[in-house]
Amino acid sequence: MYAAKELLPRALSRLSQVCKTIYHFANRDAVWRRIAKEFINTGITRQGKDVYPHILLKDRVKVSQNWYNGICRKEVMLKWRINLLPWIQLDRDVLYLSQAAEIGAYHLRPDRGRLQRRPMALFSGHQEDVCRFAVTDTHLVSGGSDGKILVHHKRNCFSSVEYSGHNQEVNCLDCRGALIVSGSRDRTARIWTLSSNCPRGTIPMNDRVWSVAISPTQSSFVTGTACCENFSPLRIWDVERCELLCCLGSEFRRGAGVLDIVYESPYQLFTCGYDTFIRSWDLRLSPRKCVMEWEEPHDSALYCIQTDGNHMIASGSSYYGVVRTWDKRQTRCLEMFQLSSTVSSPVYCLRFNTSHLYATLATTLHSLDFRQGPRPLRLYPLP
């Protein structure tokens, strides 16, 4: 299937060598848009939106073939001495990385995708480690083991507003627009706004909350619990009334906690967790149900996932820093990348753009560069 799709890009590339006029025509995004939508991780969503309009589609299709075939160059970008639970967010050419109680903003060099040695901004204020944080156009919102939520303005990292309400660590949070939702080990989920540091609503969960995600419409949100006290860890809540709208699934085993939730659209949801499955949920159906599953081949818990808005999913496993890429049109994974062969650390978080994938382990930040393969072996003539 994929080989057949490569024929048209190859024909266009050869056609562009005929003359300058055809060359300029064959390089236009309008020619490549329909082709790019069928490839993985080209920045074209299922709805046809272009996420990276400043990069030629022709170049993105070429790099997409490396993603599909697992051709990349691995690199360790940062190391630290103690074991942490680092979290990252990617905002255009800035990578945000939490280390202990601080969050650093690192500028990515456009030529190599590497970090600058020192962060251009440092966000602090927590008394203990940062558990999760979210980045918007104007703010950075973080939750910590001290039970506090801090709201920083991105342009002024030296001042922050403290939100107090949880009495144990804030395991997860999400922020969209002016809405903030947090989940904690204290078995509650709380709703906040950027304009007030008092919770707008508190929902007793009767279980530890591991993950939350706000719908793109901002009218509802999803919580994922540890699944120790009940067998429906996934629940959708109304933002205005703080009422339960529905539960997703009912056949989860005890302890099958949900560790990450991703909204790809207002009606499509992806989840992963301790039961080793990635699941796709269609929220338009009645009742809302799982429409597709992908199982981790080595029976490892899945700590994090990300989608490209079209055909690709990337997941991070719990052992030896294993990252997998998936094509939603297939049940088997495309490629596996083992980031550590000596230390058995989970992939706590991963983020990618069209050319790079960044992943954090307990003591390292890794990069996979898909613009080019590994360094070629140096061959010497025989004597």
Side-chain angles (χ1 to χ4, degrees):
M1 180 184 70
Y2 199 82
K5 291 176 183 176
E6 289 183 350
L7 294 178
L8 184 55
R10 196 174 301 172
L12 282 172
S13 298
R14 291 178 179 177
L15 186 64
S16 66
Q17 300 175 14
V18 173
C19 64
K20 288 185 178 180
T21 303
I22 297 180
Y23 172 81
H24 290 300
F25 173 80
N27 278 272
R28 294 174 59 189
D29 281 359
V31 177
W32 290 87
R33 183 170 297 275
R34 187 173 179 181
I35 301 170
K37 195 174 179 180
E38 296 301 317
F39 282 72
I40 63 169
N41 198 24
T42 57
I44 301 295
T45 66
R46 190 170 301 176
Q47 293 75 28
K49 180 183 176 182
D50 192 349
V51 183
Y52 306 100
H54 58 287
I55 307 175
L56 287 176
L57 275 177
K58 177 184 176 182
D59 296 337
R60 283 182 266 169
V61 169
K62 180 180 178 180
V63 175
S64 174
Q65 297 177 27
N66 289 342
W67 280 92
Y68 192 90
N69 296 310
I71 301 172
C72 67
R73 179 177 296 177
K74 300 179 184 179
E75 186 175 358
V76 177
M77 305 187 75
L78 282 177
K79 288 184 179 181
W80 46 90
R81 293 176 180 239
I82 59 175
N83 289 342
L84 301 174
L85 279 76
W87 193 256
I88 55 175
Q89 293 289 356
L90 195 58
D91 184 20
R92 299 181 182 89
D93 60 347
V94 178
L95 182 76
Y96 295 86
L97 167 67
S98 66
Q99 292 176 283
E102 296 180 326
I103 302 170
Y106 294 86
H107 180 71
L108 292 169
R109 297 178 182 176
D111 55 337
R112 298 291 300 275
R114 291 183 176 178
L115 300 179
Q116 288 186 337
R117 289 190 176 183
R118 295 183 179 181
M120 61 183 187
L122 203 60
F123 301 88
S124 57
H126 286 283
Q127 301 302 314
E128 298 180 34
D129 289 1
V130 173
C131 296
R132 293 286 176 93
F133 66 90
V135 178
T136 69
D137 291 338
T138 56
H139 293 82
L140 185 148
V141 184
S142 60
S145 298
D146 53 8
K148 297 177 181 178
I149 296 173
L150 297 182
V151 177
H152 307 263
H153 200 285
K154 287 168 66 175
R155 293 187 178 181
N156 184 7
C157 60
F158 298 104
S159 64
S160 61
V161 180
E162 181 180 307
Y163 290 35
S164 298
H166 292 292
N167 54 38
Q168 294 188 47
E169 57 260 40
V170 180
N171 292 321
C172 53
L173 60 80
D174 193 14
C175 182
R176 280 185 185 266
L179 182 66
I180 304 171
V181 175
S182 61
S184 172
R185 193 181 182 90
D186 65 7
R187 303 187 176 196
T188 65
R190 295 179 187 263
I191 304 172
W192 319 74
T193 61
L194 290 176
S195 58
S196 173
N197 62 350
C198 295
R200 200 177 80 180
T202 300
I203 303 174
M205 300 296 296
N206 301 317
D207 209 345
R208 291 169 292 173
V209 185
W210 288 134
S211 54
V212 296
I214 302 173
S215 168
T217 62
Q218 299 181 35
S219 61
S220 62
F221 66 93
V222 182
T223 57
T225 64
C227 199
C228 293
E229 303 298 330
N230 55 70
F231 298 99
S232 296
L234 280 168
R235 299 180 181 184
I236 302 180
W237 305 85
D238 183 88
V239 168
E240 293 297 329
R241 301 189 303 271
C242 296
E243 294 179 353
L244 177 66
L245 296 178
C246 70
C247 297
L248 298 179
S250 58
E251 298 180 356
F252 288 88
R253 301 192 308 270
R254 179 179 174 84
V258 178
L259 296 177
D260 202 6
I261 305 172
V262 174
Y263 263 106
E264 194 170 79
S265 70
Y267 53 84
Q268 190 168 24
L269 190 72
F270 289 85
T271 63
C272 71
Y274 283 118
D275 66 352
T276 75
F277 280 92
I278 302 171
R279 289 186 171 90
S280 172
W281 305 85
D282 193 332
L283 306 184
R284 296 169 296 184
L285 302 177
S286 182
R288 299 171 176 89
K289 64 179 183 178
C290 175
V291 293
M292 189 70 180
E293 292 181 344
W294 298 269
E295 184 177 8
E296 214 287 333
H298 291 163
D299 200 33
S300 300
L302 296 173
Y303 273 58
C304 54
I305 52 173
Q306 187 186 350
T307 74
D308 68 345
N310 196 10
H311 298 304
M312 197 187 91
I313 306 172
S315 64
S317 302
S318 58
Y319 297 112
Y320 293 102
V322 171
V323 171
R324 295 184 187 273
T325 55
W326 310 75
D327 189 327
K328 297 175 189 175
R329 297 163 292 188
Q330 305 176 22
T331 55
R332 298 179 61 183
C333 76
L334 292 178
E335 294 292 337
M336 183 195 81
F337 307 93
Q338 185 174 334
L339 303 182
S340 174
S341 58
T342 56
V343 180
S344 183
S345 166
V347 178
Y348 289 110
C349 187
L350 61 81
R351 293 291 182 265
F352 62 78
N353 52 29
T354 57
S355 59
H356 290 78
L357 185 146
Y358 304 96
T360 55
L361 276 61
T363 59
T364 49
L365 169 66
H366 293 258
S367 167
L368 302 180
D369 185 353
F370 288 89
R371 294 175 303 178
Q372 50 190 332
R375 292 181 176 87
L377 295 175
R378 183 173 297 177
L379 302 179
Y380 296 96
L382 293 174

